[in-house]
Amino acid sequence: MNDQETAVTVLGTGSMGYALAEAFLAAGYATTVWNRSPQRAAPLGAEPDLAALYESAVGATLLPALLGFFEGAAVLAARGLAARTMVPYSIKWLQMIESLLPVMADEIDNRDYTRLGSSIALFHTALGDDERLGAESGVDMSWHAPMHDLLHRAVAEGRGEQSITALIELLARDRGRVDTLDRI
């Protein structure tokens, strides 16, 4: 007998992963299968599209984070400093972001953009600093343009004093759909 409320996740649909997923499904467990190609998980009747969706959603943070690191390395190089000197500071920033993710997720889920101390206006005010740093260091910071545009639009909508998390309201084209989702 199993706990029908227990959900399991199987990573990969190689021989072993496929067999495990089949066994969990047969035993009545809610089963999510994560695989690079969702089609391999489809015959299991699990939730292959959910795995791909999470991979894309979480993966959206990777390139901007890496670009930020590369930009920082280029700025340091312009002053004759090695990229490795930045690593301890980058790790601290990433740990700080990690600690804020639950607060941000709660703000998004509840559409209450008041808990986080970092406001849209704070980030908007710092836009000039990005431009000055790029000009002084000779580093191409054009990849910031879409983010700057988003901040300008948020301020124009009167969201300056809201948490930076409120940017989701501009990113999500059909924010009403989020309201209808079951809260997990």
Side-chain angles (χ1 to χ4, degrees):
M1 184 166 146
N2 69 51
D3 176 358
Q4 295 295 327
E5 298 295 315
T6 301
V8 295
T9 300
V10 177
L11 303 176
T13 56
S15 299
M16 183 180 284
Y18 196 91
L20 283 169
E22 281 185 313
F24 285 129
L25 287 165
Y29 288 95
T31 305
T32 300
V33 179
W34 289 67
N35 198 65
R36 282 178 293 198
S37 52
Q39 301 79 5
R40 286 195 35 99
L44 292 167
E47 299 180 39
D49 61 333
L50 188 58
L53 180 63
Y54 273 106
E55 186 171 341
S56 293
V58 174
T61 62
L62 180 60
L63 185 57
L66 291 175
L67 285 171
F69 182 79
F70 302 153
E71 174 189 302
V75 168
L76 291 176
R79 295 241 182 125
L81 299 168
R84 71 179 164 277
T85 64
M86 181 176 68
V87 170
Y89 303 103
S90 297
I91 289 171
K92 286 180 184 177
W93 273 100
L94 292 170
Q95 288 170 334
M96 182 266 307
I97 292 168
E98 177 187 28
S99 73
L100 293 175
L101 290 177
V103 174
M104 292 177 171
D106 189 57
E107 283 193 349
I108 291 167
D109 290 344
N110 294 303
R111 294 178 92 169
D112 173 10
Y113 308 118
T114 60
R115 292 180 50 206
L116 195 62
S118 298
S119 69
I120 288 172
L122 176 74
F123 285 88
H124 186 261
T125 301
L127 295 181
D129 296 338
D130 289 346
E131 293 166 6
R132 277 189 294 284
L133 182 60
E136 290 171 7
S137 64
V139 173
D140 179 0
M141 299 203 182
S142 61
W143 70 280
H144 288 232
M147 294 181 292
H148 290 187
D149 178 63
L150 194 62
L151 289 167
H152 288 305
R153 288 188 292 134
V155 168
E157 285 186 12
R159 296 183 178 277
E161 297 310 310
Q162 291 181 330
S163 159
I164 193 68
T165 311
L167 290 178
I168 192 170
E169 298 292 341
L170 282 76
L171 291 170
R173 294 175 192 224
D174 186 5
R175 189 72 168 111
R177 283 187 56 209
V178 176
D179 291 335
T180 65
L181 295 176
D182 292 333
R183 302 293 177 205
I184 297 175

